[in-house]
Amino acid sequence: MKDIDLLLLSGDGVGPEIMESAISLLEKIQSSFKINFNLIEGLIGGASIDAHGLPVTDETLNQASQADSILFGAVGGPKWDSLPPNEKPEKGLLELRSSLGLFANLRPAILFDSSLEASSLKPDIIKDLDMLIVRELTGGIYFGEPRGKKSSSAFNTMIYERHEVERIARVAFDSASLRNKKVCSVDKSNVLEVSEFWREVVIDVSKDYPDIELSHMLVDNAAMQLVKNPKQFDVILSSNLFGDILSDISAMLTGSIGMLPSASLDNRNKGLYEPVHGSAPDIAGQGTVNPIAMILSVGMMFRYSLDQLEISEKIKSAVSNTLNDGYATEDIADKNSKICSTKELTKIIIDHV
Ligand code: IPM
Ligand code: MG
């Protein structure tokens, strides 16, 4: 297998700490499997604003388009909070997603048995939870024009083209066909034309997938159902904004947002892999951040972009075995846990790979 050019964008806050965990894991994998990485570092978010005055530069965008795959830490923090939205660190991530065409965001929410007590929901509601949010990532209100802010008003546009809904719907149906064969498409079609359209297009696409059971749910109800009975879901299909909100809810079902990985893919499965959690400035630099979301994101990379399902499964079981042995960072610890720092937990997981 040829060397893999992997771009590392650590970003801000806890980003560099979890990136260190990812690098140690990659080193272990290089030495145990016949696979080689060229690690390339780039700037994004606040780190890029501080160095170049922009949340992402053409250089980083070029590095990203040339790389085989991208690992992303987190962006943002109080230091840059007063900037307007299109100059903030977050804008760097949005530009990356858009310029690379990473329209399909996969956010699995899987509950590890050892985290049953860490969730704020009752164990029987979440035990064995295994669902996947498929979120549209390069369209909708995040990118719609016109947008703007004046002194007396402000506006954004929620718009979807047919082809944008079709391609994300296909990702959801294809994912469901490898899982429990159910797709629940979330919208707000009782109020918004864009959602009515979304629903129609999803129904059209579903005709190519007769084995998949399709249902529709209004987003407010979906938020409620996620905390009431999350196990009713297999794959949730949603637009950009709704998926952003629902994925934070589903993250919390698993005990901590520090557990959830994600993949953002283009139409050829090139991907950017990042934890769902953000830069967590309140705990940055303390060496306590949970590295699991990042480690599982590396696992998703092996599965979706590098076609190495076996390595991906090994990473997942290493995490699960580590948790079963009672090791945890503070965010997922219960009274019996052996509390570890980021580095300690990373090392134990890597030893299990
Ligand atoms: C996420 C984040 C981003 C988003 C921010 C950082 C722009 O919340 O990936 O869920 O809203 O998409
Ligand atoms: Mg979010």
Side-chain angles (χ1 to χ4, degrees), residues 75 90 93-94 97 107 135 137 142 240 244 274 276:
V75 287
E90 287 80 350
L93 174 58
L94 297 175
R97 288 172 178 169
R107 298 190 158 183
R135 167 189 176 196
L137 202 58
Y142 272 56
N240 204 343
D244 179 46
E274 58 168 323
V276 171

